[in-house]
Amino acid sequence: MKIGIIGATGYGGLELIRFLHNHPEVEKIELFTSSDEGAIFSSRFGHLIAIHDDPLKKIDVDSFASLDVIFTSTPSGVTSKLLPSLVGLGPKLIDLSGDYRLKEPKKYEEWYKKEPAPLNLLAESVYGLTEWNEYNIKNAQIIANPGCYPTAVLLSVLPLIKNRLIESNSLIIDAKSGISGAGNKPSQGTHFSETNENFSIYKMNEHQHIPEIEQAINMFTDVNATVSFNTHLVPMTRGILSTAYATVLPGVTNTQLTESLEETYKNHPFVRIIKDTSSLGTNRVKGSNYCDILVKLDERTNRVTIVSVIDNLVKGAAGQAIQNMNVQFDLPQTLGLDVVPLFI
Amino acid sequence: MKIGIIGATGYGGLELIRFLHNHPEVEKIELFTSSDEGAIFSSRFGHLIAIHDDPLKKIDVDSFASLDVIFTSTPSGVTSKLLPSLVGLGPKLIDLSGDYRLKEPKKYEEWYKKEPAPLNLLAESVYGLTEWNEYNIKNAQIIANPGCYPTAVLLSVLPLIKNRLIESNSLIIDAKSGISGAGNKPSQGTHFSETNENFSIYKMNEHQHIPEIEQAINMFTDVNATVSFNTHLVPMTRGILSTAYATVLPGVTNTQLTESLEETYKNHPFVRIIKDTSSLGTNRVKGSNYCDILVKLDERTNRVTIVSVIDNLVKGAAGQAIQNMNVQFDLPQTLGLDVVPLFI
Amino acid sequence: MKIGIIGATGYGGLELIRFLHNHPEVEKIELFTSSDEGAIFSSRFGHLIAIHDDPLKKIDVDSFASLDVIFTSTPSGVTSKLLPSLVGLGPKLIDLSGDYRLKEPKKYEEWYKKEPAPLNLLAESVYGLTEWNEYNIKNAQIIANPGCYPTAVLLSVLPLIKNRLIESNSLIIDAKSGISGAGNKPSQGTHFSETNENFSIYKMNEHQHIPEIEQAINMFTDVNATVSFNTHLVPMTRGILSTAYATVLPGVTNTQLTESLEETYKNHPFVRIIKDTSSLGTNRVKGSNYCDILVKLDERTNRVTIVSVIDNLVKGAAGQAIQNMNVQFDLPQTLGLDVVPLFI
Amino acid sequence: MKIGIIGATGYGGLELIRFLHNHPEVEKIELFTSSDEGAIFSSRFGHLIAIHDDPLKKIDVDSFASLDVIFTSTPSGVTSKLLPSLVGLGPKLIDLSGDYRLKEPKKYEEWYKKEPAPLNLLAESVYGLTEWNEYNIKNAQIIANPGCYPTAVLLSVLPLIKNRLIESNSLIIDAKSGISGAGNKPSQGTHFSETNENFSIYKMNEHQHIPEIEQAINMFTDVNATVSFNTHLVPMTRGILSTAYATVLPGVTNTQLTESLEETYKNHPFVRIIKDTSSLGTNRVKGSNYCDILVKLDERTNRVTIVSVIDNLVKGAAGQAIQNMNVQFDLPQTLGLDVVPLFI
C-alpha cells in the first residue's frame, strides 16, 4: 500500500508515521505540505533522522491517484475545503480533524466557529469509531476519525446506554488530557514553565467534542442525551482519562454493568475491561491503541463511575485511523498496531 | 509564642516549619519524635541546613507545658491515642490528621478501619475550616484541621448549598491531587517512574474524606447530602483541583451563583472568586494559602460547574492550621501566611 | 522604600514582586511597561489577583525621581538603550539583563550579537555578585546583576581559584538549568510536549555567559582563565546545578578544598557548604536565595568535582538583585529574603 | 525461538517483553521468578493485561534446555551465583546485570562491594557492546550486556580514542540519566515528590560503571585511560545524555572528529551522527534502540565536546540485549528493534 499524509507535522501525523513504519502492508509513505515544499522532514523532527529524510512534497491532486489512502491530520477548518478536491481520485480518505464528524452543518458552525464542509460530503462521511461502526467503515470513502475525548468517553458509556442500564440524561463526564492534545503550536497555554506542575480546567462546558459525543450516543443507541462535559489539562504529554458518572436504572447491579462491557467488547482486541483500580492509569496504555475501561457502582449514591483511559495520540487519533484503514482493506484490525504499551 | 510540632518529617510538618519560620509572633519551634530522638533534622532534609539543625526531641509530656501550641502532623491512628495525654497541659492542640474530624466514632471505624479517638475528645474538638467556623475555633482546645480535599470542596460548595441554590443530592465531586498528598513514605504508587506521566483514579467511591464532606455540609448548612466523590492522582507534586457538578434549583442564574460566593467570602482574604477560566489553575495558588473558586452555569444541562483550587500542603494542611492558630490567638488571619503564590 | 520594576512580565520580574511583597522596608511597588499601558497585571498573571491588581504604568522618566530603586528585568538589548535616560534621576538602578555585565563592548557584541551599552555606563556599573563585591555594590548607581549560570559557577569556583588550589585553565563547567531560564516567551524549544521528558544540550560552547564567567574570575582573583562551559535544559521549571571539574595543584587535599569554601563564606548567610551528596539538589534551594556548594576530590584523577545549586530565578536573578538592594541601603542582606526553601 | 526471562519484573525485563512481543522470530516468552511462582504477571503490571497473563514460573534448570536464549535481568549479585548452573544447558545466556562485565574479580569486589562471579565464566563471557564486538558476540555462550552509561559513553568516545584524535587521560564525562535507571524498587531517592522538579548528582566519582568504561576503552583501543565520570538524576523517566570533554591532539579539526564517527558507524544502523544541536535530545531516541552522537570542537579551549543520547532501557539495556541475540542467531541486527522513537 502507498500512503499519503497531509499535515504530518502535527502530533497525529507523527504518530501515523511511527505506526505505518512497522505496518507490514505499507510499502511507501509520502508526506505532503501546503507551505513547506522541499523541507527535509527530519530536520525539524530529529527523531526521524535516518528514518524519514525525504523532502516534503507539495499537495498535488494529480499525483494522489496512485495512493491507496490519504490521511489528513490538519487543524479544523482545513479539510472542509480541501477534501472536495480529493474525493473520487481513488485513495480512501481518513480525516483526523473535526471537520467531517458533525452531520449538521449548523452544529459545526456553532461549536467550531468556522464554515462547515459541503453537506453532501458530510452525509457521505462515516464516523470512524471502529468498534461501533465496522460495517460502514469498511465501505466508506471518507472516514471522519473520532476526536480523542469522544473515543475515550463513547467506548466506555455506549454499552451502558445501549443496554439501558443508566439514565442517559444523568451523564456527567469529567475528562482529563495530557498536553499533547493541544497540538504542536507553541502558546502561553503550552509553555513549559506555566504548564508543568499545573492542573487546570479549560473550555468549561464549551468543548467542541460535546456535540460529537451526543451525536454518537444517538447514532449508536438511538437515545437522545444531553451531557455535561468538562476537560482538564494534566501536566504530562500523552493520555486521556475520562471519569463519567451516571445514575443506574432501578435494580441494576455492578455485575450487570461489567458484563455489559465484557459482552460488548469480547471480540474487540483493543478494548480491555479492567477489574482492579490499581491496574488502571494512562501509562498502562501509553504508546498503544488500547482503551481500558473500569466501571464501579456506588451503592451509597446509586451512581456508576465509568472510567476509561486511552493514549490520545493513538487510539484517540493515529492508531484508530490505521485501525480504520485496516478495516477498509480487509486486514486484521491489529495489523501494525499490536504493540505493548510503554508503561514507563 | 513557642511552638511544638509532632510529626515534622511529614510534608505537612515541613510546611509548618516553612511558614512558622516567617511568622512574626513565633519565637521558637521545637520538633518532637517518637522514634528518632537526637537525629539532626536537617540531615534528612537538606533544605533545612543552617535553618533548623537542632536534634529531634523525644515526645515528653512534661516539657509541653511551656509551649503555646502543639501541631500534630501524624498519620491517621496516632493522635487518637496520643492526644488524651496532651489535653489540659496548656498548649492549644491543632491536629492535622483525620483522627478528630468525624464526630461519630462508627464512621471513623468504617472509613479509616482504625480505632477511633475517645468520644469526649471527639465531642470537644472543633472542625477547623477557618472561614466557616471562626467563632468556635477561637475558643477551641483541640482543633481538627480539615482534610485537603474537603477544604477545596467545602469552600466552593457550601455557599451554594447554604443559600439553597443547588440540589444538594445532585452533587458529584471529581477531585484531583498532586502526589504529595500521598505523603512522604515511598511505595510503588509514588515511585517516580510509575507515577510520572501517569494520570490515575484511586479509592473509587471509598475515600475517607467522603464522610468528612457530608458531615461538614450538614454542620454548616443543616442539609443532609449524600455526595459522589472520586479522587485522582496528577503527576505533579502540589495542588488540588476539585470539579463539582450540581443541578441548580429552578430559576437560579449564573450571577446569583457567583454573587453567593462573593458575598460569603468578601471579608475572607484567602478565598478569591475567579471570573476567567484562564486565570485558574493549581499553580496560581502554589505555595500559598489561597483557595480560588470559579463557578459557571451550563444552561444546556441546568447544572453548575464549581471549580476550586488550593495548595494541598498549605490551605489543605499547614497553612490552614496556622490560620487557625492565628484565630485562636486573636492575631490577624494572614499573619505569617501573606505570601505571593509561586506560579512557576 | 518605593520600588519601580520595568519588565515585570518576565519571570525575574514576577519573582521580584514575590519577594518585595514581604520586604519590610518596601512600601510601594510600581510596574512599568513600554507597550501594555493600562493593562491589569493580574489579568495576565492570575496568581496575583487580589495582590497586585494595579494597571501597568507607562515608562515615564519624569515620575521616576520619587522612586528609590528601579529594577530592570528586560531581555538583552533593551537597557543598553534605556538606562542612559535613567542615570542621575535619583533611584538606584539594578539591571537584571546582561547589558551591563561585560566591561568590553566588543565582547558584548561578539557574544550577544547586539549593540553594546555606552562605554561610560559600562565603566560605572558594578557587577552584583553580592558575596564578592559588597563594597562596590554599596556605592553603585548601576548594578549589573549577574547571570544565573555565572552566579552558580562563580560562587563555587572563585574560592578555589583565589586560594590557588586548582589549575584555572583546567576548568570545565557542565551546567544544567530548569526551563524557566528560557524566559516566558513561548517557542518550540519551550513547548511542553517537546520539552517534557527531554534532556538536551544547547548553545554548545557558545553561551553568552562564558565571557561573564571569565571576566569575573579575573576581576575577583586576578587570574586569566579560559574555561569550557556547556549548558543543558532539564525538564523542570526552576533550578540550576553546575558541575565543574578542575585539576588540583600538587599536594592539595579534600580538606583544604572544603575549608577554603567554608572560610570564604563563613559570614555569608546565603551560601551553604554541603558535606553529604544526598543533601544536595536543586529542590533543596527551590524558591530561596541559597547557593549550596559541595566539593569532592577524586584521587584517581587528581581532579576536584565542584557542584553548586541555586534557584535560577532567585539567587540567579531576583533574589540576588534584592540582596544587592539591601546592601546599597545598608539593610541586613537577608531582609525580605529569609525564606525556607520549598523542597517539595 | 523460545525465550526465557529471569527477572522480568525489573524495567529491563519489561522492555525485553515489549520488544520480543514484536520480534518475528520469537514464538514463545516464558518468565521465571525465584520468589513469586504462580503470580499472574499482568496483575502487577496492568499494561500487560491481555498480552501476557501467564503465571510466573519457578526457576527450574531442567526446563531450560528447550529454550534458545535466557535473558537475566536481575540486580547485581544474583547472576554471579545463578549462571554457573545454567552454563552448558543449551540456551545462550545474555546477562543484563553488571556481574559479568568486569574481567578482574578484584575490580568487581572493589566497585560493587559484592562477591564476584567465577573466574572461568568471567573469562568466557563476552562484552556485548554490539557495534564494537560483533565477532565475539556471534560465538559467545555468555554475553555481559553493557551498562546503560557505558553504552552511551563508549559509543561516542571510542572512535576518537581509537583514531588517536584526543588525549585519553583528559577525558571527563558528565552523564545524566532519567530515574528509571534506579530500577523499580521504591525508595526516598525515587519518591515522586522528592525527585520531581529536582536535579541532583549521585555517587560522586564512585559509580561502578567507571571501571567498566576504562576496561572497554582498553579492550577496544589498547589505550589505558583514567577517566573522570559523574552521574546525575534528571526528573524524567527514560533517557541518558552523556557530555564528555577531551583535549584534542595537535592539529585535529572538527571535520576529522565528525568523520571519525561517521566512518566508524557507517554500517551500523542504530548509531546516528547528528550535525545540529537542535536535533539532539533524549526524546529523539525515546523508546528506540538508537544512539545519537554529536561532537563539536571548541577552538577557544582546544577541547572537543562529545555528546551522546540513548534510551537507557533500550540501547542501554533490553534493546542492545536483543541486538546481541540477533547477532548470535545470524539475524539482521534490526530485527524486532526497527521502531520509530516516540519523540513526544
Side-chain angles (χ1 to χ4, degrees), chain C residues 121-184:
Chain C
L121 296 192
L122 289 180
E124 187 189 337
S125 72
V126 169
Y127 190 63
L129 189 68
T130 328
E131 282 77 9
W132 285 80
N133 215 10
E134 201 175 328
Y135 178 82
N136 292 317
I137 290 166
K138 202 182 279 283
N139 303 297
Q141 186 184 195
I142 304 173
I143 287 179
N145 212 57
C148 49
Y149 286 121
T151 297
V153 170
L154 293 168
L155 289 176
S156 60
V157 304
L158 284 178
L160 309 186
I161 300 175
K162 184 159 191 192
N163 292 323
R164 304 303 190 255
L165 299 172
I166 60 175
E167 285 181 23
S168 54
N169 270 321
S170 72
L171 199 60
I172 291 175
I173 304 152
D174 192 275
K176 303 88 177 173
S177 173
I179 290 160
S180 65
N184 74 346

Side-chain angles (χ1 to χ4, degrees), chain C residues 174 214 228 245 300 303, chain D residues 174 214 228 243 245 300 303:
Chain C
D174 192 275
E214 292 178 349
S228 285
Y245 300 85
R300 294 176 67 254
R303 291 191 190 105
Chain D
D174 192 275
E214 292 178 349
S228 286
T243 314
Y245 300 84
R300 295 176 66 254
R303 292 191 190 105

Side-chain angles (χ1 to χ4, degrees), chain C residues 313-344:
Chain C
L313 299 178
V314 188
K315 184 62 178 168
Q320 186 158 240
I322 294 171
Q323 191 182 356
N324 286 329
M325 178 189 84
N326 286 341
V327 170
Q328 291 182 305
F329 287 81
D330 266 327
L331 302 169
Q333 285 191 23
T334 54
L335 212 64
L337 294 170
D338 174 26
V339 299
V340 176
L342 269 89
F343 180 42
I344 61 164

Side-chain angles (χ1 to χ4, degrees), chain D residues 4-7 70-74 79 82-83 86 94-97:
Chain D
I5 301 175
I6 297 175
I70 297 175
F71 292 96
T72 47
S73 181
T74 49
T79 56
L82 177 66
L83 246 54
L86 305 184
I94 303 181
D95 183 31
L96 281 75
S97 87

Side-chain angles (χ1 to χ4, degrees), chain B residues 186-187 191, chain D residues 185-192 195:
Chain B
S187 71
H191 191 53
Chain D
K185 204 177 150 203
S187 71
Q188 217 66 46
T190 58
H191 190 53
F192 184 89
T195 316

